[in-house]
Amino acid sequence: MHSPILAPLMALVLWSFVMWAWLYATRIPAITKNKIVYDPYRPNDAFHAQLPAQVRWKADNYNNLMEQPTLFYAVVLTLAMLDAGGGLNLILAWLYVGLRVAHSLVHALINIVILRFAVFMAASIVLLLLSVRAALIVF
């Protein structure tokens, strides 16, 4: 089966790996520069508190990409299996991916919370629309 809606799904997966690489590209030098020693017996918060905020932002965003987008993957796979991966559903899927990339960039670069929240809410509404459209086909 090949459905066009699988393209935005794979784009978001690959974007997650971009954020993963960016996370380590900033975290490892910060650990080295600040001579941070990881102690597995201390809470993670103690480790993260030693990292500069701009470094933590990348890790925080990577973690965000492991949360809500899992719903996106489920909805997109459902639409692909139902042969409903074109038209408006495809547009909504690409819009969701674009908003998640924008959210990542805001989070990782400037972290203006109100802007980040606005982009997140826009993406959430798009995902909700896509989910309702999938549900209407299923039910």
Side-chain angles (χ1 to χ4, degrees):
M1 164 192 14
H2 183 272
S3 175
I5 204 163
L6 295 175
L9 182 150
M10 289 310 304
L12 191 53
V13 167
L14 292 173
W15 178 253
S16 297
F17 280 109
V18 168
M19 289 307 301
W20 171 80
W22 196 3
L23 144 69
Y24 284 109
T26 56
R27 180 179 279 189
I28 292 171
I31 290 170
T32 303
K33 179 182 175 190
N34 296 317
K35 298 180 179 20
I36 298 170
V37 177
Y38 179 71
D39 180 354
Y41 298 103
R42 278 193 314 185
N44 281 342
D45 290 342
F47 169 73
H48 292 139
Q50 298 177 76
L51 295 169
Q54 293 83 354
V55 172
R56 289 193 315 266
W57 296 344
K58 280 80 170 164
D60 292 344
N61 186 261
Y62 176 76
N63 290 334
N64 289 166
L65 288 169
M66 300 301 120
E67 295 171 349
Q68 188 189 67
T70 60
L71 299 174
F72 172 75
Y73 301 138
V75 171
V76 165
L77 289 172
T78 299
L79 289 167
M81 289 178 10
L82 295 170
D83 197 27
L88 182 57
N89 291 336
L90 181 60
I91 292 168
L92 289 170
W94 276 117
L95 181 57
Y96 180 78
V97 171
L99 288 166
R100 288 309 305 216
V101 169
H103 177 267
S104 290
L105 293 173
V106 168
H107 197 174
L109 294 172
I110 57 176
N111 202 21
I112 297 171
V113 175
I114 192 69
L115 177 58
R116 196 176 91 210
F117 178 72
V119 176
F120 176 78
M121 286 306 296
S124 297
I125 291 167
V126 170
L127 181 56
L128 176 61
L129 289 172
L130 196 60
S131 300
V132 168
R133 290 178 58 83
L136 290 173
I137 297 168
V138 170
F139 299 117

